[in-house]
Amino acid sequence: MEDKKLWHFYEELNEIVYVVDMDTYEIVYMNRRARKLYGISDEKAYQGKRCYELLAGSQSPCAVCCDKKLESGYFLEEVRYNPAIKKRLAFKETVIEEDGKKNRFILAVDVGTEMYPNQVCESNDAIINEGLRISLSASTPEKSINVLLGYLGLTFNSDRVYIFEETDKGSFCNTYEWCASGVMPQKENLQDVPFDVLRLWYERFQAGKNIFIKDLEKIREIDPEVYEYLHPQNIQSLIVSPLVRDKKIIGFYGLDNPPEEVLDHITTMFQIWGHFMDSLLRRRNLVRRLEEMCFQDQLTGVGNRHAMHEYIAAMHPGRSVGILYCDVMGLKRANDTKGHQNGDQLLIRAGQCLQKEFNGYALFRVGGDEFLVLCEGITEEEMYRKIETLKTDMIKAEASMALGHVWKPDGSVDMDYLITQADQKMYEDKREWYKKESRII
């Protein structure tokens, strides 16, 4: 009751006011304006809730929490973007001590996302730390990258944020993209951009410089190739910064159509973000490699048994399905008489035959000498045709396989049962193969 009387003075203020217990992070009070902003119906809805859970959508205290900076009798001023409510708020915060209890008192003003306020000093550290926090809280590196791009787009009020990575062919591909509401995505149109188009940019990147374009029309004559790429995307301005790893440029990232105020003061932050993005891309590559090791047969490059189970779990039961079970013939003989390297080459050739004919379908090595092909959405005629072509390929590659297949118009039938059927037919074919071999011998 005493707490209610203490904070009642702030109830009808137009500014946002809330109070947090600095020991427990629990919300002590939120005024009417704060409750409305965060979609809280009444006082009971925030009681017992921690500030970082309810106000920032986080499972742990915010990276930009300023509790340690606060002093009783002094106000700390900052502007921070809150991704939970998609707003930028100008804060005034202090400590209020009452009966030995320390509370953080926060008064905030919604400054929106339209412009950087001229009279409010932005804290670059706060922006960077908050971006790090929300991106690293994502469950995978892929999600971290996408979360970070969205955060940058909203924080800097841009139309589009993107990453381009250099390919083995020396071109550049748009690999990640965030677009503001109503902005047309461009990622699919920006694959394999030739190096020559970005030659002038690359020269600046090598000198450690960013690309600033405040008015696209001004580069129409001096850099026509870039202009022809950017103009159809409705770009009027942009900032682009290189992504550097081990002193080598691996790509770049940028913002389209940010406010001019952003272009004037963002250089240092962009360099910091670039290092962090490279770190996320490294993490992504590591996870992909680990996934390959977990889901890929290291000898043949096709999926392993673990990958097969994952694939089956995600199949659409309403679609037709063709199953081909294969056993590589003569593997033991090749290992015993010519060595395991020769046997490995036999398995590789068999896998290549299957990859060639069943490209686009799911292929797995499920045993030492066994492969399984799962064909969702295939017609019965197409399944038969591919198997007949495969038999010709096997002869050319000197990679004989016993084959057993089934086809069903509705994949809702138990997959284990269908695979067992295909396996049994494969053994029938295998017995016939051995009969022919014994007659030849």
Side-chain angles (χ1 to χ4, degrees), residues 311 357-363 373-378 382 386:
Y311 182 86
E357 192 53 44
F358 289 92
N359 182 38
Y361 293 105
L363 171 60
V373 185
L374 300 177
C375 304
E376 272 195 286
I378 197 170
E382 182 72 1
K386 286 185 173 296

Side-chain angles (χ1 to χ4, degrees), residues 242-438:
L243 295 171
V244 182
R245 179 180 303 162
D246 301 326
K247 299 182 180 181
K248 182 181 182 300
I249 297 169
I250 62 166
F252 57 88
Y253 79 103
L255 305 175
D256 285 348
N257 299 332
E260 188 171 340
E261 292 83 354
V262 170
L263 292 172
D264 288 338
H265 82 277
I266 201 175
T267 303
T268 301
M269 266 198 290
F270 241 54
Q271 291 173 344
I272 295 172
W273 288 125
H275 291 303
F276 182 57
M277 284 187 181
D278 175 53
S279 177
L280 291 179
L281 292 172
R282 285 176 184 263
R283 288 178 59 215
R284 178 207 63 186
N285 293 343
L286 176 60
V287 169
R288 285 181 178 177
R289 179 59 183 149
L290 291 174
E291 287 177 346
E292 286 179 4
M293 294 174 67
C294 290
F295 292 95
Q296 188 179 75
D297 175 57
Q298 298 304 297
L299 177 64
T300 62
V302 305
N304 58 19
R305 184 175 286 276
H306 188 188
M308 179 196 72
H309 291 310
E310 291 288 321
Y311 182 86
I312 290 174
M315 288 179 70
H316 302 283
R319 303 180 69 187
S320 63
V321 61
I323 299 174
L324 177 64
Y325 211 112
C326 314
D327 190 299
V328 179
M329 307 306 295
L331 178 63
K332 186 176 186 304
R333 183 191 306 168
N335 286 333
D336 291 344
T337 61
K338 299 180 181 180
H340 284 278
Q341 187 174 358
N342 188 275
D344 288 347
Q345 290 302 314
L346 175 57
L347 287 168
I348 291 171
R349 293 198 304 274
Q352 288 172 340
C353 290
L354 291 166
Q355 286 175 308
K356 175 185 174 184
E357 192 53 44
F358 289 92
N359 182 38
Y361 293 105
L363 171 60
F364 310 96
R365 184 182 174 196
V366 293
D369 54 3
E370 295 178 338
F371 291 89
L372 179 71
V373 185
L374 300 177
C375 304
E376 272 195 286
I378 197 170
T379 64
E380 189 173 15
E381 294 75 18
E382 182 72 1
M383 186 75 182
Y384 288 143
R385 185 190 67 76
K386 286 185 173 296
I387 291 172
E388 292 304 312
T389 306
L390 174 64
K391 291 176 181 178
T392 302
D393 292 339
M394 291 190 307
I395 296 172
K396 293 178 181 179
E398 298 182 351
S400 296
M401 287 183 282
L403 308 176
H405 72 276
V406 295
W407 180 88
K408 294 293 180 182
D410 184 354
S412 60
V413 180
D414 181 73
M415 286 299 298
D416 289 337
Y417 172 72
L418 294 180
I419 291 172
T420 299
Q421 278 193 317
D423 188 22
Q424 290 172 349
K425 291 184 178 182
M426 180 273 291
Y427 272 103
E428 293 173 9
D429 191 41
K430 190 173 184 177
R431 283 194 290 269
E432 290 299 316
W433 188 88
Y434 278 119
K435 286 181 182 178
K436 293 178 183 178
E437 283 289 298
S438 62

Side-chain angles (χ1 to χ4, degrees), residues 50 67 97 132 206 239 246 258:
R50 292 180 174 86
D67 276 5
E97 297 188 47
L132 297 180
Q206 288 179 319
I239 176 173
D246 301 326

Side-chain angles (χ1 to χ4, degrees), residues 156-168:
F156 299 120
N157 194 25
S158 300
D159 284 356
R160 185 169 170 266
V161 189
Y162 42 83
I163 294 176
F164 280 72
E165 295 180 71
E166 188 172 0
T167 69
D168 294 336

